[in-house]
Amino acid sequence: MLNSEFSIQLKEIVGAQYVSDNQADRLAYSYDATPNFQQMPDAVVSPKNAEEVQQIVRLCAAYNVPIVPRGSGTNLCAGTCPAQGGLVVLFTRMNRLLEIDEENLTATVQPGLITEELIHQVEKKALFYPPDPSSMKISTLGGNINENSGGLRGLKYGVTRDYVLGLEVVLPNGDTIKTGGKLAKDVAGYDMTRLFVGSEGTLGIVTEATLKLLPLPETKQTMLCLYESLEDAATSVSAIIAERIIPATLEFMDQPTLEVVEDFAKIGLPTDVRAVLLIEQDGSPEAVARDMKKIADVCRRNGATRVNIATTNEEADALLTARRSALSALARLSPTTILEDATVPRSEMAKMVRAIEEIAKAYEVKICTFGHAGDGNLHPTCATDARNEEEMKRVEAAFQAIFEKAVSLGGTITGEHGVGMMKAPYLELKVKKEGIAAMKAIKQALDPGHLMNPDKIFAKAARKRVVIS
């Protein structure tokens, strides 16, 4: 529990009504969307501005209290689980869209703003914020920045990092720095903006962000391509890119995923095929029509048995909404759902899809695979039951094999979910000992007390070893 003097001073900073250490609130913020990770915080606090955040951080530094900055808790790497207790900092009161600058094509936001709300607000001005994680209806922009979130439009438009121009950050010692700004170019010193994006709250707390906007595309069109072969679907992805066409969205779903999503969404998705590609293109009407015709031809040449183009906006929206609901749909299958995001170069997609299928059979586990095929970011998802210890060992062994295969193909252990606690045992697979040492040096320099979101990214053991008896 927290020191009584600490609690008194904390309440003086934000007001007693914005500090809670009751059992219900502590329990609510003891876990996130990651299964099997939970630790009770000592208290929860909701500051109203950057100045209060600064005072909270300085207080925590003085009393050696761990701090966990938290958005909506939608992350899938246990990134907001308070591993050492301490203080969970919420940003529900710092949720404003501060400015839309139409001259500089930027938006300035507080970290608690919901992602979809920003998207809707800028679209009213014919502007476009591309990053669209599947959780965008509830995820916050601060959380997106901490995790460098991706989304369905990542292939053409990139991820959160590509739209963060500047940040206001409270460092672990309580100092506030500002990085970047409303600038197209800025090489004044180290790129601190990019350092903090994706740092998972381990280096500081983002209190404000300046984000890049684009003009809203004139039109868009959506198609569904059906395949009797997983390899044909994966090969089509590389073939589309080889034609110098970059779709806005290029998503993959295998048959088990289709069955579950259709049962959930009931929009008429085909469940009698081995896989589908969900493809969207945006831009000028002429360019979209031209690209979609070429894409359809490429897919047919590479084994698509049917190509269906959405005829209405409602039909297109239903397809994309169904894809975004994949995790929710799969979560209905069993008490525990583990969603991962092994990523490979898109040229290795076919090998990775087949490897996942073979690994699932070898370890006798059910894995449904979907994901952002255009950028090689696959989401193998296992429906299991954490209470079944023997099965969970097989599940963990299967995912270890998947990560090892992805890295062997030139890929990575995570494309967008982050490392957190979930992937920490596998980080050395990707970055090696030297890479971890460099990262730890940065962490030590900025957070020598290791109070900022502790026990994330760096595992206590170099590798997680799963033994099947």
Side-chain angles (χ1 to χ4, degrees):
M1 298 301 291
L2 296 175
N3 178 289
S4 59
E5 183 60 32
F6 175 94
S7 298
I8 291 170
Q9 292 183 48
L10 184 64
K11 291 174 183 177
E12 288 175 351
I13 293 171
V14 300
Q17 67 270 43
Y18 299 113
V19 178
S20 176
D21 60 2
N22 69 58
Q23 183 78 3
D25 286 342
R26 292 171 61 223
L27 181 62
Y29 298 106
S30 64
Y31 58 91
D32 53 31
T34 318
N36 301 328
F37 287 87
Q38 186 172 18
Q39 180 69 45
M40 293 285 277
D42 294 304
V44 180
V45 63
S46 302
K48 70 177 179 181
N49 55 39
E51 290 73 22
E52 288 188 356
V53 173
Q54 188 176 46
Q55 292 177 63
I56 290 167
V57 170
R58 286 177 174 162
L59 182 66
C60 287
Y63 282 85
N64 202 38
V65 174
I67 309 170
V68 180
R70 181 184 173 106
S72 296
T74 59
N75 86 88
L76 294 161
C77 66
T80 53
C81 178
Q84 294 185 18
L87 192 64
V88 169
V89 183
L90 305 178
F91 298 93
T92 50
R93 300 172 67 207
M94 295 176 63
N95 63 350
R96 293 170 55 209
L97 171 55
L98 300 173
E99 178 192 48
I100 297 176
D101 184 339
E102 296 183 66
E103 291 185 359
N104 289 302
L105 292 183
T106 64
T108 303
V109 304
Q110 293 183 312
L113 182 65
I114 299 297
T115 312
E116 189 178 55
E117 178 63 19
L118 172 66
I119 291 171
H120 287 334
Q121 290 301 320
V122 301
E123 285 184 354
K124 291 178 181 178
K125 296 182 179 294
L127 296 173
F128 184 38
Y129 180 70
D132 62 334
S134 294
S135 59
M136 67 180 186
K137 290 182 183 295
I138 54 174
S139 67
T140 66
L141 289 160
N144 293 173
I145 291 167
N146 277 347
E147 299 295 336
N148 188 25
S149 299
L152 275 64
R153 295 192 284 244
L155 169 61
K156 183 173 183 178
Y157 290 106
V159 296
T160 298
R161 176 191 292 119
D162 301 303
Y163 295 87
V164 180
L165 296 174
L167 295 171
E168 179 183 81
V169 181
V170 177
L171 299 178
N173 66 357
D175 289 349
T176 296
I177 64 170
K178 293 191 176 183
T179 73
K182 299 179 181 180
L183 303 165
K185 295 180 179 179
D186 181 9
V187 292
Y190 295 143
D191 191 343
M192 297 294 283
T193 304
R194 286 205 165 212
L195 174 63
F196 285 106
V197 177
S199 64
E200 304 186 25
T202 63
L203 301 179
I205 298 178
V206 173
T207 52
E208 187 174 296
T210 301
L211 306 175
K212 179 172 70 175
L213 304 177
L214 300 177
L216 187 67
E218 293 179 60
T219 189
K220 58 186 177 181
Q221 198 169 46
T222 305
M223 72 165 60
L224 196 66
C225 299
L226 283 56
Y227 293 86
E228 295 300 334
S229 160
L230 294 173
E231 285 85 352
D232 286 348
T235 300
S236 293
V237 173
S238 296
I240 290 167
I241 307 302
E243 288 289 328
R244 307 299 188 265
I245 303 169
I246 308 296
T249 296
L250 180 45
E251 297 290 301
F252 170 89
M253 288 188 283
D254 67 5
Q255 187 174 30
T257 305
L258 285 168
E259 292 173 348
V260 175
V261 170
E262 171 57 21
D263 184 60
F264 178 78
K266 299 190 185 330
I267 63 166
L269 284 173
T271 57
D272 58 344
V273 294
R274 290 279 285 152
V276 301
L277 293 180
L278 175 61
I279 305 168
E280 183 179 80
Q281 183 60 300
D282 61 11
S284 68
E286 299 80 9
V288 170
R290 180 182 66 246
D291 284 353
M292 293 300 268
K293 182 180 184 305
K294 286 183 179 179
I295 292 170
D297 290 343
V298 169
C299 290
R300 291 189 183 101
R301 288 200 305 269
N302 284 276
T305 58
R306 281 179 283 167
V307 175
N308 302 329
I309 296 179
T311 56
T312 65
N313 290 336
E314 290 74 19
E315 185 181 352
D317 289 344
L319 288 171
L320 291 168
T321 299
R323 162 59 187 88
R324 292 185 195 281
S325 71
L327 176 57
S328 298
L330 289 165
R332 304 164 72 212
L333 291 179
S334 60
T336 307
T337 305
I338 302 176
L339 183 149
E340 285 295 356
D341 70 324
T343 303
V344 295
R346 66 175 69 92
S347 60
E348 304 291 349
M349 267 277 297
K351 291 180 184 176
M352 193 67 218
V353 167
R354 175 55 65 192
I356 292 171
E357 189 173 53
E358 291 172 352
I359 289 167
K361 289 179 181 177
Y363 289 96
E364 298 180 337
V365 295
K366 180 178 178 62
I367 295 180
C368 301
T369 303
F370 62 97
H372 315 304
D375 48 28
N377 186 191
L378 291 170
H379 292 315
T381 304
C382 185
T384 184
D385 188 339
R387 296 168 296 185
N388 186 333
E389 293 184 8
E390 188 277 331
E391 182 175 84
M392 283 300 295
K393 285 183 179 180
R394 287 187 282 111
V395 170
E396 290 187 5
F399 277 122
Q400 180 168 304
I402 287 170
F403 300 146
E404 290 172 348
K405 182 65 176 180
V407 171
S408 76
L409 293 173
T412 183
I413 62 170
T414 174
E416 60 183 4
H417 291 173
V419 177
M421 296 172 68
M422 184 82 161
K423 294 288 186 67
Y426 307 107
L427 183 61
E428 190 177 311
L429 274 175
K430 172 60 181 173
V431 305
K432 310 304 180 189
K433 292 180 180 178
E434 296 80 3
I436 290 177
M439 293 181 194
K440 283 184 173 180
I442 295 170
K443 171 71 169 174
Q444 179 67 24
L446 290 176
D447 183 21
H450 293 265
L451 296 179
M452 197 63 66
N453 206 9
D455 290 348
K456 307 307 189 303
I457 300 181
F458 308 116
K460 291 182 174 66
R463 290 281 296 279
K464 186 171 186 176
R465 295 296 182 186
V466 181
V467 180
I468 307 295
S469 56

